[in-house]
Amino acid sequence: MHDSDSIGIVTPQRLHFDSPLQLESGAILDSYDLVYETYGELNADRTNAVLICHALSGNHHVAGVYADNPKNAGWWNNMIGPGKPIDTNRFFVIGVNNIGGCHGSTGPATLNTKTNKPFGADFPMVTTIDWAETYVRLAQKLGIDQFAAVVGGSLGGMSTMQLALDAPEKVRHAVVIAAAAKLTAQNIAFNDVARQAIITDPDYHGGDYYAHQTFPRRGLRLARMLGHITYLSDDSMAEKFGRELRSGSLGYNFDVEFQIESYLRYQGDKFAEQFDANTYLLMTKVLDYFDPARDYDHDLSAAFHRAKANFLVLSFSSDWRFSPERSRSIVKALLDNNLNVSYAEIASRHGHDSFLMKDDHYHQLVRSYMSNITT
Amino acid sequence: MTEITDTVSPSLRPDFATIAAWIKPATKVLDLGCGDGALLRYLTDTLQTKGYGVEIDDTNILACLNNRINVIQSDLESGLSGFESNSFDYVILSQTLQAMKHTENIIHEMLRVGKEGIVTFPNFGHWKNRLQILRGHMPVSPTLPYEWFDTPNIHLCTLNDFEQFCHQHSVHILERRVMTGSQQTTFAPNLFGMLAFYRFTQRK
């Protein structure tokens, strides 16, 4: 990793929480672990903490590299580090793996101490509301009364909004990127096809595939392939792959012929090796359930009445999964509540994935906003 | 948009002072085509207003963030649908009216969203402009700095034109100031005034 601005070697940490977590679904998680990483120093007044909320396939490894795996850079390493838009020279940055995840925090693959078997299908359904509660408890353990900022893209943007709604005093600034106040029917449809791919895989075994020493690899692979299509734009796919053939000529068979097929299969295979299918199922449900206006007669402005944070909302022009229009509805709700909000629609050809990419204007906007946050 | 995006200090911007004189402290202000946010910064600093800007240009959006100004990236030509009716005390359109395609719509939208509207525009009726036309050329001046072929200004007007427009569109003018540089122009303003300022409301 030749990145002079990188935070360098980082080490994940683990905290155990003994007090039961009452989940939105009604279920109770008796105890749980959160795995997290921190970068930079918490200042004496504990006023410079920035929480990063991850998206569907993300985790706590947000920036830096691991000593035993220097190639494994955090998923937002281009955004976070010394001198970067989210500057670890100023901020104490926290990345946390959400519960239900598969990278260390308690999730479906975790051993259930009651049964001495992995939770599997028994792992309760979680929501952004449950995650927000875990963020509050994590902050408490770290001695942080209020986050200087909470930042998230996509599902992470939803978690950011949820925390700003559920714990208004804990969030001074909220940066909500490529997100939406709720999924559309089309979004939910994509998620359900992904879930069906996993659930109908014969290796799924009702979610208890761990006991069968197997894994619904084919289903997860298909789910990821589908997801990946929706994260890119038609233009960026055309630009990157077009109708280019892998071997240069048509084979008249069902093998990989077009480059896009090769790319998607590779992405699917790679993902299926490192992600847990049950977590994928859970995360898509978290997305589907997110709808803060639901309890307010579908009035998003009423839902945001309790928020107090200052907001930066960003969207990307070619993002059709969470389109700029979806972000504008968030902005409208914030304006209706007289909250401080800035909104930018960033010209980008890379679809929903734009939020993970390095783009000068995008990074400048985040840098400017973050640099004006007093600590 | 033809914002004045100079980063000169507010004391050097007499137009800021003229607008500020019409705005009550601690009110809520929407600045359409807010440029780098300098006017909103000035109003926030001097009158403790709660301000939001609307801008289309990427560079200006960034400048607003650097100026610690709330800014919403949006195209004014598509209206103000993102803003609730009667949600602002003042809606300002400073030196932008003449560059807009949908003049009637934006004035209507200003008075839907705000209790009062404030517009400023270069007076096309200024004698120097008239003189240049008499000499056979399109005017170029400090308030109209563009050549005919690269101007964004498509709807230039005189004081008389704007007042007639207001009369025809149920817009009630509350106050008018005409400035030439830092001086107020009271004598024959349609001939001697360079920059027009109007504060108006919906005629009941």
Side-chain angles (χ1 to χ4, degrees), chain A residues 312 331-332 334-336 338-347 361 364-365 368-369 371-372, chain B residues 28 50-52 58-59 61-62 65-74 81-84 87-88:
Chain A
L312 174 66
V331 172
K332 170 79 165 55
L334 299 169
L335 285 169
D336 286 347
N338 288 329
L339 291 164
N340 286 317
V341 51
S342 284
Y343 167 68
E345 188 177 316
I346 298 155
H361 181 57
Q364 275 295 337
L365 291 167
S368 294
Y369 189 83
S371 68
N372 275 324
Chain B
K28 201 175 158 196
K50 174 102 180 172
Y52 296 84
D58 284 349
T59 312
I61 295 285
L62 197 55
L65 290 190
N66 286 326
N67 271 331
R68 289 169 290 120
I69 288 300
N70 293 315
V71 64
I72 310 297
Q73 189 159 28
S74 176
S81 58
F83 297 91
E84 201 56 46
S87 56
F88 285 87

mmCIF file of all heavy atoms in Angstrom, chain A residues 312 331-332 334-336 338-347 361 364-365 368-369 371-372, chain B residues 28 50-52 58-59 61-62 65-74 81-84 87-88:
data_model
loop_
_atom_site.group_PDB
_atom_site.id
_atom_site.type_symbol
_atom_site.label_atom_id
_atom_site.label_comp_id
_atom_site.label_asym_id
_atom_site.label_seq_id
_atom_site.Cartn_x
_atom_site.Cartn_y
_atom_site.Cartn_z
ATOM 1 N N LEU A 312 -24.960 17.517 6.532
ATOM 2 C CA LEU A 312 -24.474 17.626 5.150
ATOM 3 C C LEU A 312 -25.033 16.413 4.419
ATOM 4 O O LEU A 312 -24.809 15.275 4.828
ATOM 5 C CB LEU A 312 -22.937 17.624 5.100
ATOM 6 C CG LEU A 312 -22.341 17.594 3.677
ATOM 7 C CD1 LEU A 312 -22.671 18.880 2.904
ATOM 8 C CD2 LEU A 312 -20.827 17.385 3.714
ATOM 9 N N VAL A 331 -33.446 16.359 2.578
ATOM 10 C CA VAL A 331 -33.138 17.784 2.736
ATOM 11 C C VAL A 331 -34.404 18.574 3.048
ATOM 12 O O VAL A 331 -34.423 19.434 3.930
ATOM 13 C CB VAL A 331 -32.449 18.330 1.462
ATOM 14 C CG1 VAL A 331 -32.308 19.845 1.517
ATOM 15 C CG2 VAL A 331 -31.083 17.674 1.284
ATOM 16 N N LYS A 332 -35.482 18.238 2.342
ATOM 17 C CA LYS A 332 -36.755 18.937 2.556
ATOM 18 C C LYS A 332 -37.205 18.786 4.016
ATOM 19 O O LYS A 332 -37.628 19.749 4.661
ATOM 20 C CB LYS A 332 -37.807 18.363 1.596
ATOM 21 C CG LYS A 332 -39.237 18.783 1.828
ATOM 22 C CD LYS A 332 -39.510 20.174 1.281
ATOM 23 C CE LYS A 332 -40.996 20.503 1.155
ATOM 24 N NZ LYS A 332 -41.791 20.351 2.347
ATOM 25 N N LEU A 334 -35.360 18.234 6.600
ATOM 26 C CA LEU A 334 -34.450 18.984 7.475
ATOM 27 C C LEU A 334 -34.783 20.473 7.424
ATOM 28 O O LEU A 334 -34.821 21.155 8.449
ATOM 29 C CB LEU A 334 -32.996 18.734 7.065
ATOM 30 C CG LEU A 334 -32.530 17.272 7.154
ATOM 31 C CD1 LEU A 334 -31.169 17.090 6.486
ATOM 32 C CD2 LEU A 334 -32.481 16.828 8.611
ATOM 33 N N LEU A 335 -35.041 20.975 6.196
ATOM 34 C CA LEU A 335 -35.414 22.384 6.031
ATOM 35 C C LEU A 335 -36.705 22.697 6.780
ATOM 36 O O LEU A 335 -36.824 23.740 7.421
ATOM 37 C CB LEU A 335 -35.606 22.715 4.545
ATOM 38 C CG LEU A 335 -34.345 22.862 3.696
ATOM 39 C CD1 LEU A 335 -34.707 22.909 2.215
ATOM 40 C CD2 LEU A 335 -33.566 24.108 4.093
ATOM 41 N N ASP A 336 -37.653 21.779 6.687
ATOM 42 C CA ASP A 336 -38.938 21.997 7.349
ATOM 43 C C ASP A 336 -38.779 22.123 8.864
ATOM 44 O O ASP A 336 -39.667 22.638 9.541
ATOM 45 C CB ASP A 336 -39.911 20.858 7.030
ATOM 46 C CG ASP A 336 -40.436 20.945 5.603
ATOM 47 O OD1 ASP A 336 -40.240 22.005 4.971
ATOM 48 O OD2 ASP A 336 -41.019 19.968 5.111
ATOM 49 N N ASN A 338 -36.086 23.622 10.242
ATOM 50 C CA ASN A 338 -35.129 24.708 10.487
ATOM 51 C C ASN A 338 -33.757 24.219 10.917
ATOM 52 O O ASN A 338 -33.044 24.923 11.638
ATOM 53 C CB ASN A 338 -35.644 25.672 11.566
ATOM 54 C CG ASN A 338 -36.776 26.516 11.043
ATOM 55 O OD1 ASN A 338 -36.818 26.818 9.849
ATOM 56 N ND2 ASN A 338 -37.688 26.892 11.912
ATOM 57 N N LEU A 339 -33.407 22.997 10.522
ATOM 58 C CA LEU A 339 -32.082 22.491 10.885
ATOM 59 C C LEU A 339 -31.054 23.026 9.890
ATOM 60 O O LEU A 339 -31.378 23.304 8.733
ATOM 61 C CB LEU A 339 -32.082 20.959 10.867
ATOM 62 C CG LEU A 339 -32.910 20.316 11.976
ATOM 63 C CD1 LEU A 339 -33.188 18.854 11.661
ATOM 64 C CD2 LEU A 339 -32.204 20.455 13.321
ATOM 65 N N ASN A 340 -29.835 23.167 10.369
ATOM 66 C CA ASN A 340 -28.775 23.553 9.444
ATOM 67 C C ASN A 340 -28.514 22.395 8.503
ATOM 68 O O ASN A 340 -28.285 21.264 8.932
ATOM 69 C CB ASN A 340 -27.494 23.889 10.209
ATOM 70 C CG ASN A 340 -27.606 25.232 10.905
ATOM 71 O OD1 ASN A 340 -28.105 26.198 10.331
ATOM 72 N ND2 ASN A 340 -27.176 25.285 12.149
ATOM 73 N N VAL A 341 -28.565 22.685 7.209
ATOM 74 C CA VAL A 341 -28.319 21.625 6.220
ATOM 75 C C VAL A 341 -27.698 22.214 4.962
ATOM 76 O O VAL A 341 -28.085 23.295 4.512
ATOM 77 C CB VAL A 341 -29.619 20.852 5.868
ATOM 78 C CG1 VAL A 341 -30.750 21.782 5.491
ATOM 79 C CG2 VAL A 341 -29.370 19.840 4.748
ATOM 80 N N SER A 342 -26.717 21.503 4.438
ATOM 81 C CA SER A 342 -26.203 21.795 3.113
ATOM 82 C C SER A 342 -26.351 20.540 2.271
ATOM 83 O O SER A 342 -26.268 19.426 2.787
ATOM 84 C CB SER A 342 -24.731 22.222 3.162
ATOM 85 O OG SER A 342 -24.644 23.541 3.634
ATOM 86 N N TYR A 343 -26.623 20.769 0.986
ATOM 87 C CA TYR A 343 -26.843 19.637 0.085
ATOM 88 C C TYR A 343 -26.103 19.857 -1.217
ATOM 89 O O TYR A 343 -26.171 20.942 -1.800
ATOM 90 C CB TYR A 343 -28.343 19.483 -0.218
ATOM 91 C CG TYR A 343 -28.629 18.543 -1.367
ATOM 92 C CD1 TYR A 343 -28.369 17.172 -1.240
ATOM 93 C CD2 TYR A 343 -29.117 19.011 -2.582
ATOM 94 C CE1 TYR A 343 -28.603 16.312 -2.298
ATOM 95 C CE2 TYR A 343 -29.362 18.153 -3.637
ATOM 96 C CZ TYR A 343 -29.105 16.796 -3.491
ATOM 97 O OH TYR A 343 -29.333 15.953 -4.540
ATOM 98 N N ALA A 344 -25.386 18.846 -1.650
ATOM 99 C CA ALA A 344 -24.729 18.919 -2.955
ATOM 100 C C ALA A 344 -25.021 17.666 -3.749
ATOM 101 O O ALA A 344 -25.061 16.556 -3.203
ATOM 102 C CB ALA A 344 -23.224 19.095 -2.787
ATOM 103 N N GLU A 345 -25.260 17.868 -5.035
ATOM 104 C CA GLU A 345 -25.474 16.756 -5.958
ATOM 105 C C GLU A 345 -24.231 16.669 -6.826
ATOM 106 O O GLU A 345 -23.971 17.551 -7.637
ATOM 107 C CB GLU A 345 -26.723 17.035 -6.800
ATOM 108 C CG GLU A 345 -27.144 15.879 -7.656
ATOM 109 C CD GLU A 345 -28.426 16.191 -8.423
ATOM 110 O OE1 GLU A 345 -29.367 16.756 -7.828
ATOM 111 O OE2 GLU A 345 -28.459 15.878 -9.621
ATOM 112 N N ILE A 346 -23.459 15.620 -6.616
ATOM 113 C CA ILE A 346 -22.145 15.525 -7.242
ATOM 114 C C ILE A 346 -22.265 14.831 -8.600
ATOM 115 O O ILE A 346 -22.856 13.751 -8.707
ATOM 116 C CB ILE A 346 -21.182 14.748 -6.306
ATOM 117 C CG1 ILE A 346 -21.025 15.538 -4.992
ATOM 118 C CG2 ILE A 346 -19.843 14.516 -6.973
ATOM 119 C CD1 ILE A 346 -20.653 14.698 -3.804
ATOM 120 N N ALA A 347 -21.722 15.484 -9.624
ATOM 121 C CA ALA A 347 -21.739 14.893 -10.965
ATOM 122 C C ALA A 347 -20.789 13.711 -10.969
ATOM 123 O O ALA A 347 -19.614 13.848 -10.656
ATOM 124 C CB ALA A 347 -21.310 15.932 -12.002
ATOM 125 N N HIS A 361 -13.977 16.774 -6.292
ATOM 126 C CA HIS A 361 -15.027 17.657 -5.792
ATOM 127 C C HIS A 361 -15.716 17.055 -4.564
ATOM 128 O O HIS A 361 -15.917 17.737 -3.549
ATOM 129 C CB HIS A 361 -16.030 17.953 -6.899
ATOM 130 C CG HIS A 361 -17.141 18.867 -6.491
ATOM 131 N ND1 HIS A 361 -16.912 20.131 -5.984
ATOM 132 C CD2 HIS A 361 -18.481 18.688 -6.483
ATOM 133 C CE1 HIS A 361 -18.074 20.691 -5.681
ATOM 134 N NE2 HIS A 361 -19.034 19.843 -5.969
ATOM 135 N N GLN A 364 -13.437 17.274 -1.639
ATOM 136 C CA GLN A 364 -13.322 18.679 -1.221
ATOM 137 C C GLN A 364 -14.522 19.097 -0.371
ATOM 138 O O GLN A 364 -14.377 19.829 0.615
ATOM 139 C CB GLN A 364 -13.235 19.606 -2.442
ATOM 140 C CG GLN A 364 -11.838 19.783 -3.018
ATOM 141 C CD GLN A 364 -10.909 20.477 -2.050
ATOM 142 O OE1 GLN A 364 -11.353 21.188 -1.165
ATOM 143 N NE2 GLN A 364 -9.609 20.240 -2.195
ATOM 144 N N LEU A 365 -15.711 18.664 -0.810
ATOM 145 C CA LEU A 365 -16.923 19.022 -0.060
ATOM 146 C C LEU A 365 -16.859 18.465 1.355
ATOM 147 O O LEU A 365 -17.136 19.174 2.327
ATOM 148 C CB LEU A 365 -18.175 18.480 -0.769
ATOM 149 C CG LEU A 365 -18.560 19.131 -2.103
ATOM 150 C CD1 LEU A 365 -19.594 18.298 -2.828
ATOM 151 C CD2 LEU A 365 -19.078 20.551 -1.895
ATOM 152 N N SER A 368 -14.135 20.366 3.351
ATOM 153 C CA SER A 368 -14.559 21.709 3.773
ATOM 154 C C SER A 368 -15.535 21.630 4.933
ATOM 155 O O SER A 368 -15.425 22.374 5.905
ATOM 156 C CB SER A 368 -15.223 22.458 2.616
ATOM 157 O OG SER A 368 -14.278 22.714 1.613
ATOM 158 N N TYR A 369 -16.501 20.720 4.801
ATOM 159 C CA TYR A 369 -17.500 20.604 5.860
ATOM 160 C C TYR A 369 -16.849 20.170 7.164
ATOM 161 O O TYR A 369 -17.091 20.765 8.224
ATOM 162 C CB TYR A 369 -18.608 19.621 5.450
ATOM 163 C CG TYR A 369 -19.766 19.648 6.418
ATOM 164 C CD1 TYR A 369 -20.755 20.616 6.314
ATOM 165 C CD2 TYR A 369 -19.852 18.734 7.461
ATOM 166 C CE1 TYR A 369 -21.804 20.672 7.214
ATOM 167 C CE2 TYR A 369 -20.897 18.778 8.369
ATOM 168 C CZ TYR A 369 -21.872 19.751 8.238
ATOM 169 O OH TYR A 369 -22.903 19.814 9.133
ATOM 170 N N SER A 371 -13.765 20.404 8.108
ATOM 171 C CA SER A 371 -12.771 21.335 8.662
ATOM 172 C C SER A 371 -13.442 22.473 9.429
ATOM 173 O O SER A 371 -12.805 23.128 10.252
ATOM 174 C CB SER A 371 -11.859 21.878 7.562
ATOM 175 O OG SER A 371 -12.607 22.700 6.711
ATOM 176 N N ASN A 372 -14.738 22.709 9.164
ATOM 177 C CA ASN A 372 -15.456 23.749 9.898
ATOM 178 C C ASN A 372 -16.133 23.236 11.164
ATOM 179 O O ASN A 372 -16.815 23.993 11.863
ATOM 180 C CB ASN A 372 -16.496 24.422 8.999
ATOM 181 C CG ASN A 372 -15.872 25.544 8.187
ATOM 182 O OD1 ASN A 372 -14.996 26.244 8.660
ATOM 183 N ND2 ASN A 372 -16.299 25.686 6.944
ATOM 184 N N LYS B 28 -35.461 34.677 9.140
ATOM 185 C CA LYS B 28 -35.031 33.543 8.318
ATOM 186 C C LYS B 28 -34.978 33.986 6.849
ATOM 187 O O LYS B 28 -35.960 34.492 6.318
ATOM 188 C CB LYS B 28 -36.029 32.395 8.515
ATOM 189 C CG LYS B 28 -35.484 31.039 8.152
ATOM 190 C CD LYS B 28 -36.506 29.962 8.490
ATOM 191 C CE LYS B 28 -36.236 28.717 7.671
ATOM 192 N NZ LYS B 28 -37.374 27.808 7.659
ATOM 193 N N LYS B 50 -31.029 33.465 10.278
ATOM 194 C CA LYS B 50 -30.868 32.051 9.944
ATOM 195 C C LYS B 50 -30.955 31.974 8.430
ATOM 196 O O LYS B 50 -31.991 32.303 7.856
ATOM 197 C CB LYS B 50 -31.991 31.246 10.595
ATOM 198 C CG LYS B 50 -32.016 29.791 10.206
ATOM 199 C CD LYS B 50 -31.434 28.961 11.316
ATOM 200 C CE LYS B 50 -31.438 27.485 10.939
ATOM 201 N NZ LYS B 50 -30.711 26.691 11.923
ATOM 202 N N GLY B 51 -29.850 31.607 7.791
ATOM 203 C CA GLY B 51 -29.818 31.708 6.336
ATOM 204 C C GLY B 51 -29.586 30.401 5.604
ATOM 205 O O GLY B 51 -28.902 29.507 6.097
ATOM 206 N N TYR B 52 -30.197 30.317 4.447
ATOM 207 C CA TYR B 52 -29.948 29.216 3.525
ATOM 208 C C TYR B 52 -29.728 29.823 2.144
ATOM 209 O O TYR B 52 -30.393 30.786 1.769
ATOM 210 C CB TYR B 52 -31.138 28.265 3.436
ATOM 211 C CG TYR B 52 -31.458 27.546 4.726
ATOM 212 C CD1 TYR B 52 -32.254 28.157 5.696
ATOM 213 C CD2 TYR B 52 -30.980 26.263 4.971
ATOM 214 C CE1 TYR B 52 -32.561 27.497 6.877
ATOM 215 C CE2 TYR B 52 -31.278 25.599 6.151
ATOM 216 C CZ TYR B 52 -32.074 26.216 7.100
ATOM 217 O OH TYR B 52 -32.374 25.569 8.264
ATOM 218 N N ASP B 58 -20.899 24.172 -8.769
ATOM 219 C CA ASP B 58 -20.088 23.351 -7.853
ATOM 220 C C ASP B 58 -19.075 24.172 -7.049
ATOM 221 O O ASP B 58 -18.920 23.974 -5.846
ATOM 222 C CB ASP B 58 -19.300 22.286 -8.635
ATOM 223 C CG ASP B 58 -20.180 21.123 -9.086
ATOM 224 O OD1 ASP B 58 -21.334 21.036 -8.621
ATOM 225 O OD2 ASP B 58 -19.698 20.320 -9.906
ATOM 226 N N THR B 59 -18.389 25.080 -7.734
ATOM 227 C CA THR B 59 -17.354 25.868 -7.065
ATOM 228 C C THR B 59 -17.971 26.741 -5.977
ATOM 229 O O THR B 59 -17.409 26.910 -4.900
ATOM 230 C CB THR B 59 -16.617 26.750 -8.095
ATOM 231 O OG1 THR B 59 -16.270 25.928 -9.204
ATOM 232 C CG2 THR B 59 -15.359 27.356 -7.507
ATOM 233 N N ILE B 61 -20.781 26.101 -4.378
ATOM 234 C CA ILE B 61 -21.242 25.221 -3.280
ATOM 235 C C ILE B 61 -20.091 25.023 -2.297
ATOM 236 O O ILE B 61 -20.253 25.149 -1.077
ATOM 237 C CB ILE B 61 -21.713 23.855 -3.834
ATOM 238 C CG1 ILE B 61 -22.939 24.021 -4.718
ATOM 239 C CG2 ILE B 61 -21.969 22.862 -2.696
ATOM 240 C CD1 ILE B 61 -24.237 24.283 -4.025
ATOM 241 N N LEU B 62 -18.932 24.745 -2.852
ATOM 242 C CA LEU B 62 -17.744 24.535 -2.019
ATOM 243 C C LEU B 62 -17.390 25.811 -1.244
ATOM 244 O O LEU B 62 -17.090 25.766 -0.046
ATOM 245 C CB LEU B 62 -16.587 24.118 -2.933
ATOM 246 C CG LEU B 62 -15.376 23.464 -2.310
ATOM 247 C CD1 LEU B 62 -15.771 22.245 -1.502
ATOM 248 C CD2 LEU B 62 -14.381 23.091 -3.409
ATOM 249 N N LEU B 65 -19.657 26.200 1.707
ATOM 250 C CA LEU B 65 -19.274 25.339 2.832
ATOM 251 C C LEU B 65 -18.084 25.964 3.563
ATOM 252 O O LEU B 65 -18.039 25.972 4.796
ATOM 253 C CB LEU B 65 -18.915 23.931 2.365
ATOM 254 C CG LEU B 65 -20.053 23.046 1.844
ATOM 255 C CD1 LEU B 65 -19.575 21.612 1.665
ATOM 256 C CD2 LEU B 65 -21.260 23.070 2.762
ATOM 257 N N ASN B 66 -17.134 26.492 2.804
ATOM 258 C CA ASN B 66 -15.980 27.138 3.436
ATOM 259 C C ASN B 66 -16.398 28.380 4.218
ATOM 260 O O ASN B 66 -15.775 28.732 5.219
ATOM 261 C CB ASN B 66 -14.923 27.498 2.383
ATOM 262 C CG ASN B 66 -14.185 26.270 1.892
ATOM 263 O OD1 ASN B 66 -13.959 25.324 2.657
ATOM 264 N ND2 ASN B 66 -13.843 26.255 0.618
ATOM 265 N N ASN B 67 -17.462 29.043 3.755
ATOM 266 C CA ASN B 67 -17.995 30.229 4.439
ATOM 267 C C ASN B 67 -18.957 29.859 5.571
ATOM 268 O O ASN B 67 -19.589 30.744 6.151
ATOM 269 C CB ASN B 67 -18.741 31.136 3.451
ATOM 270 C CG ASN B 67 -17.810 32.150 2.814
ATOM 271 O OD1 ASN B 67 -16.826 32.551 3.422
ATOM 272 N ND2 ASN B 67 -18.121 32.562 1.581
ATOM 273 N N ARG B 68 -19.109 28.575 5.835
ATOM 274 C CA ARG B 68 -20.022 28.077 6.875
ATOM 275 C C ARG B 68 -21.461 28.551 6.636
ATOM 276 O O ARG B 68 -22.158 29.023 7.525
ATOM 277 C CB ARG B 68 -19.541 28.493 8.279
ATOM 278 C CG ARG B 68 -18.286 27.756 8.725
ATOM 279 C CD ARG B 68 -17.677 28.353 9.966
ATOM 280 N NE ARG B 68 -17.094 29.652 9.667
ATOM 281 C CZ ARG B 68 -17.449 30.802 10.236
ATOM 282 N NH1 ARG B 68 -18.401 30.820 11.140
ATOM 283 N NH2 ARG B 68 -16.855 31.928 9.898
ATOM 284 N N ILE B 69 -21.874 28.410 5.382
ATOM 285 C CA ILE B 69 -23.219 28.818 4.974
ATOM 286 C C ILE B 69 -24.013 27.581 4.576
ATOM 287 O O ILE B 69 -23.491 26.724 3.873
ATOM 288 C CB ILE B 69 -23.109 29.790 3.763
ATOM 289 C CG1 ILE B 69 -22.564 31.139 4.196
ATOM 290 C CG2 ILE B 69 -24.433 29.943 3.041
ATOM 291 C CD1 ILE B 69 -23.398 31.853 5.232
ATOM 292 N N ASN B 70 -25.250 27.478 5.040
ATOM 293 C CA ASN B 70 -26.137 26.404 4.565
ATOM 294 C C ASN B 70 -26.427 26.648 3.097
ATOM 295 O O ASN B 70 -26.924 27.723 2.734
ATOM 296 C CB ASN B 70 -27.480 26.453 5.305
ATOM 297 C CG ASN B 70 -27.348 26.108 6.769
ATOM 298 O OD1 ASN B 70 -26.673 25.149 7.121
ATOM 299 N ND2 ASN B 70 -27.992 26.889 7.617
ATOM 300 N N VAL B 71 -26.139 25.666 2.266
ATOM 301 C CA VAL B 71 -26.404 25.859 0.845
ATOM 302 C C VAL B 71 -27.029 24.595 0.267
ATOM 303 O O VAL B 71 -26.652 23.479 0.621
ATOM 304 C CB VAL B 71 -25.117 26.252 0.081
ATOM 305 C CG1 VAL B 71 -24.083 25.134 0.117
ATOM 306 C CG2 VAL B 71 -25.435 26.646 -1.355
ATOM 307 N N ILE B 72 -28.025 24.799 -0.594
ATOM 308 C CA ILE B 72 -28.712 23.681 -1.236
ATOM 309 C C ILE B 72 -28.422 23.762 -2.725
ATOM 310 O O ILE B 72 -28.723 24.773 -3.362
ATOM 311 C CB ILE B 72 -30.252 23.775 -1.021
ATOM 312 C CG1 ILE B 72 -30.598 24.002 0.466
ATOM 313 C CG2 ILE B 72 -30.955 22.550 -1.593
ATOM 314 C CD1 ILE B 72 -30.198 22.905 1.398
ATOM 315 N N GLN B 73 -27.836 22.698 -3.270
ATOM 316 C CA GLN B 73 -27.533 22.721 -4.706
ATOM 317 C C GLN B 73 -28.799 22.415 -5.486
ATOM 318 O O GLN B 73 -29.402 21.348 -5.336
ATOM 319 C CB GLN B 73 -26.449 21.708 -5.053
ATOM 320 C CG GLN B 73 -25.960 21.862 -6.493
ATOM 321 C CD GLN B 73 -24.594 21.253 -6.724
ATOM 322 O OE1 GLN B 73 -24.184 20.311 -6.064
ATOM 323 N NE2 GLN B 73 -23.865 21.807 -7.684
ATOM 324 N N SER B 74 -29.186 23.369 -6.315
ATOM 325 C CA SER B 74 -30.444 23.226 -7.037
ATOM 326 C C SER B 74 -30.494 24.239 -8.175
ATOM 327 O O SER B 74 -29.829 25.269 -8.123
ATOM 328 C CB SER B 74 -31.601 23.465 -6.056
ATOM 329 O OG SER B 74 -32.831 23.420 -6.710
ATOM 330 N N SER B 81 -39.481 23.912 -5.364
ATOM 331 C CA SER B 81 -40.372 22.875 -4.838
ATOM 332 C C SER B 81 -39.829 22.224 -3.560
ATOM 333 O O SER B 81 -40.593 21.636 -2.807
ATOM 334 C CB SER B 81 -40.628 21.809 -5.898
ATOM 335 O OG SER B 81 -39.403 21.246 -6.308
ATOM 336 N N GLY B 82 -38.524 22.345 -3.342
ATOM 337 C CA GLY B 82 -37.951 21.782 -2.118
ATOM 338 C C GLY B 82 -38.194 22.634 -0.882
ATOM 339 O O GLY B 82 -37.753 22.273 0.214
ATOM 340 N N PHE B 83 -38.881 23.765 -1.065
ATOM 341 C CA PHE B 83 -39.107 24.669 0.070
ATOM 342 C C PHE B 83 -40.602 24.829 0.332
ATOM 343 O O PHE B 83 -41.393 25.024 -0.592
ATOM 344 C CB PHE B 83 -38.471 26.043 -0.211
ATOM 345 C CG PHE B 83 -36.975 25.971 -0.355
ATOM 346 C CD1 PHE B 83 -36.397 25.776 -1.602
ATOM 347 C CD2 PHE B 83 -36.146 26.070 0.750
ATOM 348 C CE1 PHE B 83 -35.014 25.686 -1.734
ATOM 349 C CE2 PHE B 83 -34.764 25.990 0.633
ATOM 350 C CZ PHE B 83 -34.199 25.791 -0.616
ATOM 351 N N GLU B 84 -40.932 24.753 1.590
ATOM 352 C CA GLU B 84 -42.322 24.845 2.025
ATOM 353 C C GLU B 84 -42.848 26.279 1.823
ATOM 354 O O GLU B 84 -42.089 27.246 1.915
ATOM 355 C CB GLU B 84 -42.377 24.474 3.508
ATOM 356 C CG GLU B 84 -43.709 24.027 4.035
ATOM 357 C CD GLU B 84 -44.301 22.851 3.283
ATOM 358 O OE1 GLU B 84 -43.590 21.855 3.012
ATOM 359 O OE2 GLU B 84 -45.492 22.948 2.964
ATOM 360 N N SER B 87 -42.217 29.672 4.440
ATOM 361 C CA SER B 87 -41.249 29.166 5.418
ATOM 362 C C SER B 87 -40.091 30.138 5.646
ATOM 363 O O SER B 87 -39.238 29.874 6.488
ATOM 364 C CB SER B 87 -40.735 27.791 4.992
ATOM 365 O OG SER B 87 -40.186 27.833 3.695
ATOM 366 N N PHE B 88 -40.058 31.251 4.912
ATOM 367 C CA PHE B 88 -38.987 32.239 5.105
ATOM 368 C C PHE B 88 -39.574 33.638 5.296
ATOM 369 O O PHE B 88 -40.644 33.940 4.773
ATOM 370 C CB PHE B 88 -38.042 32.245 3.894
ATOM 371 C CG PHE B 88 -37.120 31.059 3.870
ATOM 372 C CD1 PHE B 88 -37.525 29.862 3.281
ATOM 373 C CD2 PHE B 88 -35.862 31.120 4.455
ATOM 374 C CE1 PHE B 88 -36.682 28.755 3.280
ATOM 375 C CE2 PHE B 88 -35.015 30.026 4.458
ATOM 376 C CZ PHE B 88 -35.429 28.845 3.872
#
